[in-house]
Amino acid sequence: MPDMRFAPPNPLRIADRAAGLNATSVRSYNERLLLSLLLQNDGITRLEIGESTGLSAQTVSVLVRSLEQEGLVMKGKVQKGRVGPPTTPVVLNPEGAYSVGISIGSKRAHIVLIDFVGAVRFHATLPNPEPNSKSNHPEFLETIQRALEVLPPGTQDRLAGIGLALPESRSGLTAGKSDPKHRYAALQEEIEKEIGQAVFVQNDITAAAAGESMFGSAKPHADYLYFYLGHELHSRLVLNHQIYNSNSPLSFDIGLGALERLAGGKGLPTEPLWDRADLLLTWENDLIASMRSSITALAQFVEVRTVILSSYIPEDVCQALCAKLGTVLPGVTVIAGKLSPSPKAVGAAGLPFSSRFMVE
């Protein structure tokens, strides 16, 4: 069995019926093997495909030719300057498949449409969906339809599905409201009924970690500790490309919610906060201390050499946090995530790709 790269965990629930890409939704193992490599590499030669999978050169050629005809892969730029003659890598065709990703956060929902290489083609932010007498949220469903209208002409049948990233049910966003599991199940069923697409569901932090591995800064790394900085600070451990504690409720109340409370206690507006250096310093020190403590505790069992910090905060703020954390963790490389504008939504959009195209 070849050493395959990171494959995100299966969604908690996979829709019963397939829609769009019907002809390719059930692929052979070898096709999934090849697409898994391409989803985790920016380009790979046929020789490298054979070396990674153990498939013969003839089998690789047949697979590549078949996937090219289906429009899922294409030839990349010729690579020169290497030993031997120039080589042409195989790469994913950005227009080979599309996916919609939805994340439900503490205050709002994000909806994105991405192409096969993770580029965001559409993004919208809405209040979290609430039920009414006829629908969970009409504007919510209309926004998904608007995202689908962005699909290039003739590619509507290349939609792999819709990914839905949901928060822990214990979150404060559910206080005083109807049972979140029931509401989210109703939302999923309504999307499938009204939009007519398969919906793939996963915990939001796990989805964000999987998306960072498939499309972002974690792509080259097999082992790392993933932090997501949102309303709270969450973590996931990734070993040999596999996410652990995938549905763990573990989190730290030192995220952006704590920063907002700190501002409120000083009589300051909660937005924007990034130009308040005095306020940020106190919060950053507490945040760094929490992450360092978590890494130190984990180091008793697992050697942590790489940390990925992902968030929707401004890029320069995230980079500064990474640099600061790196100074108190000798020997640990701290890297800022690069999924934007919503890591959770982009990660959710990757769920249909992993379910339809990657090896389990």
Side-chain angles (χ1 to χ4, degrees):
M1 176 68 183
D3 180 19
M4 291 304 300
R5 300 190 52 123
F6 179 86
N10 290 332
L12 299 181
R13 176 183 180 276
I14 298 178
D16 297 329
R17 65 180 185 279
L21 289 174
N22 268 339
T24 59
S25 59
V26 181
R27 313 205 64 85
S28 73
Y29 178 81
N30 284 345
E31 287 175 321
R32 283 178 173 264
L33 200 59
L34 176 53
L35 289 170
S36 294
L37 283 174
L38 294 177
L39 279 164
Q40 296 302 313
N41 291 274
D42 293 329
I44 186 168
T45 66
R46 298 188 185 205
L47 178 60
E48 291 168 335
I49 292 171
E51 292 174 345
S52 299
T53 63
L55 298 174
S56 68
Q58 181 180 3
T59 299
V60 171
S61 293
V62 171
L63 288 172
V64 170
R65 186 162 56 249
S66 174
L67 294 174
E68 282 180 335
Q69 291 173 349
E70 292 184 26
L72 292 173
V73 307
M74 63 184 188
K75 293 181 175 64
K77 294 183 179 180
V78 176
Q79 297 177 345
K80 300 180 180 179
R82 307 172 73 178
V83 176
T87 58
T88 302
V90 180
V91 299
L92 292 174
N93 179 2
E95 296 188 354
Y98 296 88
S99 178
V100 171
I102 304 165
S103 70
I104 309 294
S106 60
K107 295 181 179 180
R108 56 187 67 88
H110 291 266
I111 299 174
V112 299
L113 173 76
I114 67 170
D115 61 24
F116 211 10
V117 296
V120 176
R121 302 291 188 97
F122 173 93
H123 172 243
T125 304
L126 294 172
N128 283 331
E130 289 291 342
N132 62 30
S133 60
K134 296 181 180 180
S135 168
N136 274 294
H137 199 300
E139 184 182 5
F140 195 75
L141 296 172
E142 290 169 3
T143 303
I144 298 174
Q145 288 285 13
R146 285 199 292 117
L148 298 180
E149 291 172 0
V150 174
L151 289 169
T155 62
Q156 286 76 7
D157 62 341
R158 292 190 169 273
L159 187 70
I162 297 175
L164 184 59
L166 299 178
E168 300 289 347
S169 60
R170 67 180 184 83
S171 173
L173 68 94
T174 63
K177 300 179 182 179
S178 59
D179 177 62
K181 291 183 179 179
H182 175 75
R183 289 193 296 114
Y184 293 150
L187 173 63
Q188 178 183 353
E189 291 172 3
E190 185 169 22
I191 292 173
E192 290 182 341
K193 178 182 177 181
E194 299 297 328
I195 306 299
Q197 292 292 333
V199 176
F200 301 79
V201 181
Q202 183 56 271
N203 168 266
D204 57 354
I205 306 303
T206 301
E212 198 67 58
S213 176
M214 187 180 292
F215 305 121
S217 298
K219 202 168 186 176
H221 302 282
D223 308 300
Y224 56 92
L225 181 61
Y226 175 85
F227 282 112
Y228 180 81
L229 177 59
H231 188 76
E232 296 178 338
L233 177 68
H234 305 265
S235 65
R236 292 290 186 270
L237 176 64
V238 180
L239 297 175
N240 193 26
H241 308 296
Q242 300 297 315
I243 299 175
Y244 289 82
N245 299 324
S246 59
N247 293 296
S248 168
L250 180 64
S251 61
F252 305 91
D253 190 16
I254 191 60
L256 301 179
L259 178 58
E260 292 177 357
R261 290 194 299 273
L262 184 61
K266 294 178 178 280
L268 300 172
T270 58
E271 293 183 4
L273 292 170
W274 309 116
D275 56 352
R276 294 295 307 238
D278 55 337
L279 188 68
L280 286 175
L281 181 61
T282 301
W283 172 72
E284 285 179 356
N285 287 338
D286 291 341
L287 177 64
I288 295 297
S290 292
M291 289 191 287
R292 182 184 184 184
S293 175
S294 177
I295 294 168
T296 301
L298 183 61
Q300 300 179 58
F301 309 98
V302 178
E303 185 178 31
V304 178
R305 290 293 185 183
T306 304
V307 172
I308 307 290
L309 176 60
S310 177
S311 184
Y312 56 83
I313 63 177
E315 182 179 354
D316 60 335
V317 177
C318 190
Q319 293 282 2
L321 284 172
C322 289
K324 195 168 186 177
L325 180 60
T327 61
V328 299
L329 293 171
V332 177
T333 301
V334 185
I335 305 170
K338 63 179 184 181
L339 296 188
S340 63
S342 171
K344 292 180 180 179
V346 175
L351 294 175
F353 291 163
S354 62
S355 293
R356 293 204 185 281
F357 301 119
M358 298 185 76
V359 290
E360 298 181 359

